[in-house]
Every structure is written in C-alpha cells, then in structure tokens.
Amino acid sequence: MTKDNRWGLKNKGLLSVQVCNNSIHHLHQAIANILNFPGLNATHVTDQNTYISANKQLWNNKTDIHMKSAFYDLDKFKAGGSSLNPIEIRELGDVSGKKLLHLQCHFGMDTISWARMGAVTTGLDFSDKAITAAKDLASELGVNSQFVCSNVY
C-alpha cells in the first residue's frame, strides 16, 4: 500500500511528494498542480513566499484528511494510545521533566504522546489549521502541551 493510499490522499486529489536529489522542480510542479493555481507552473514557484504559501495551503488541506484517516487512528489515540514508534521511546528513554521541542508537529499527536510520558512539550508547525487542531486536541485530552504556529525555515 502506498503512503498516498494509507492517508486517503488519492481520493481527495492530493498526492504526497517525496523530494529526491534534484527533484525540486517536480516538487514545485506538484504543489502548483495540487493547489490548482491558475497559470502557476514550476517556473512560477521560484520565489520563496509563493512556495511557502502553496506549501502551507497544502498542509492546511491535509490536516482534516489526516485527522479522519485510519492511518492516524485518532479515536485510538484519544482513548489513550500513543503515536510513537517503539524505537523512538527506547532511544529517548525516560523523558519525565525533559523539555522537548517538536518541529513540524502537524496536529500534535507525537507532541501530546511525549507529554503523556512526562515531557514538557512544545509543538511547532507552520500550518495554522494543524496548530489549531493540536491545541484543541491537547485541551480535549487534558494534556499540557504548548503549540506555536511558525515557519521553521
């Protein structure tokens, strides 16, 4: 199963794009196609603000899709499940009282999972929709995690 199918993106007209070697041109074209900007093509996505705006819109669109997908299994998470992989937990060990800054946190599942394990967590993402969802999720679960909307670059 491809990552696109697991996330339910093909049915929504969205595709994940992996950047390899010199494929930034293809990434720009994919973002332009996904967002269906009139007259926008890869040569137009050369200025940083246009690229960031398009990428932010892409991730804002993905937030609702991801929150409803079986891949993220939000119901299981809300019932106390963790989004973390065993290797992440094993490699970091006891995080009680440690400060953790999670860059590109999306809608906060990993950040909240670390907070549930005792870390003092702050999640950061540039998608305002994802950060709002993360704040709402943390509040709903009674988890003390902070979330900040900001560009990492």
Side-chain angles (χ1 to χ4, degrees):
M1 180 180 295
T2 68
K3 191 177 285 188
D4 290 330
N5 284 338
R6 284 187 311 211
W7 291 347
L9 299 178
K10 285 189 176 178
N11 296 336
K12 303 296 182 187
L14 300 175
L15 295 175
S16 295
V17 179
Q18 294 181 354
V19 180
C20 303
N21 300 329
N22 294 323
S23 64
I24 198 71
H25 171 81
H26 298 288
L27 175 63
H28 288 168
Q29 186 62 55
I31 290 172
N33 290 340
I34 289 166
L35 298 178
N36 196 25
F37 286 141
L40 182 65
N41 60 43
T43 59
H44 292 105
V45 189
T46 55
D47 87 83
Q48 187 174 6
N49 291 334
T50 302
Y51 172 78
I52 289 170
S53 176
N55 197 26
K56 180 178 179 179
Q57 184 177 347
L58 175 70
W59 283 101
N60 277 341
N61 291 342
K62 285 185 176 187
T63 299
D64 284 336
I65 295 167
H66 288 178
M67 290 181 72
K68 294 174 186 172
S69 74
F71 179 81
Y72 285 92
D73 199 356
L74 195 52
D75 289 335
K76 182 179 177 183
F77 182 76
K78 287 180 178 183
S82 175
S83 62
L84 303 173
N85 295 308
I87 191 169
E88 294 168 317
I89 296 168
R90 186 174 57 249
E91 290 297 316
L92 286 180
D94 182 15
V95 295
S96 297
K98 294 183 179 177
K99 293 180 180 178
L100 183 140
L101 173 61
H102 181 193
L103 303 178
Q104 298 178 332
C105 69
H106 200 19
F107 60 93
M109 288 177 64
D110 290 352
T111 308
I112 292 169
S113 290
W114 287 116
R116 286 174 167 169
M117 295 179 63
V120 178
T121 59
T122 300
L124 184 140
D125 201 282
F126 78 134
S127 165
D128 52 321
K129 193 166 191 174
I131 288 299
T132 297
K135 288 177 179 180
D136 290 347
L137 184 59
S139 177
E140 177 183 340
L141 299 175
V143 175
N144 187 19
S145 288
Q146 303 301 310
F147 291 96
V148 177
C149 187
S150 180
N151 190 344
V152 184
Y153 301 105

